[in-house]
Amino acid sequence: MPFLIARPAKAAQKINPHIKTVPVSEGIGNAAISIHPNVAQKNIKEQVSAVLADDLSKYRVALPESFHVEIAFREHYLAYRGSFYPGAKQTGAKTVEYESNDYMDVLRFLFFVL
C-alpha cells in the first residue's frame, strides 16, 4: 500500500496539475500518523476509479529528450562496481554517472546499479 504525504503530492502536481494523490499518512519527525488501512484502501480505490473514468491523456508527463543520472554512494566500492555497467563512468571516489536518451535504459541502469 503506498504512503503519500503532502510534499510528494505537491511535487507531483507541479509536474502535472492533473495528477491525483491519496494522502494516507502524515510524517512527523521519524514517525507517521496513518489513517485506518480500510479507509486508505477505500479512498485509493475511489480515486483510481475516478481517474480511469477520466481522459487519461491529460495525466501524461512529457519526458525530457535526454537523461543524466548521477548516483552518490556511501561506500567507494559500490561506485566502483556500478562503473562496470555499460555506458556508466565513475566520476569520483563514490559517484557514478550515466547518460541516455532512452528512459528504459535509465531504469535498467538504476535497477542493476542500485
Side-chain angles (χ1 to χ4, degrees):
M1 174 170 41
F3 287 94
L4 301 174
I5 58 175
R7 277 182 241 120
K10 288 180 184 176
Q13 288 174 339
K14 282 183 183 178
I15 295 171
N16 181 332
H18 300 290
I19 291 175
K20 306 293 185 216
T21 60
V22 179
V24 296
S25 68
E26 180 181 356
I28 301 173
N30 288 335
I33 298 175
S34 302
I35 62 176
H36 191 278
N38 293 345
V39 174
Q41 191 174 34
K42 176 183 160 288
N43 293 350
I44 292 168
K45 282 183 180 181
E46 288 173 359
Q47 189 69 276
V48 168
S49 295
V51 168
L52 290 175
D54 199 4
D55 176 14
L56 297 180
S57 67
K58 67 184 186 183
Y59 298 99
R60 284 196 184 133
V61 175
L63 296 176
E65 289 189 22
S66 64
F67 302 90
H68 176 87
V69 181
E70 181 177 327
I71 301 175
F73 292 94
R74 288 186 182 176
E75 304 294 338
H76 65 88
Y77 61 87
L78 295 174
Y80 178 70
R81 183 177 71 185
S83 72
F84 286 97
Y85 187 85
K89 59 184 174 183
Q90 188 171 3
T91 56
K94 297 181 181 181
T95 57
V96 174
E97 293 185 21
Y98 181 76
E99 292 186 25
S100 178
N101 294 333
D102 186 344
Y103 184 60
M104 288 304 294
D105 286 343
V106 172
L107 294 179
R108 210 173 350 266
F109 164 74
L110 293 171
F111 178 80
F112 284 103
V113 173
L114 297 177

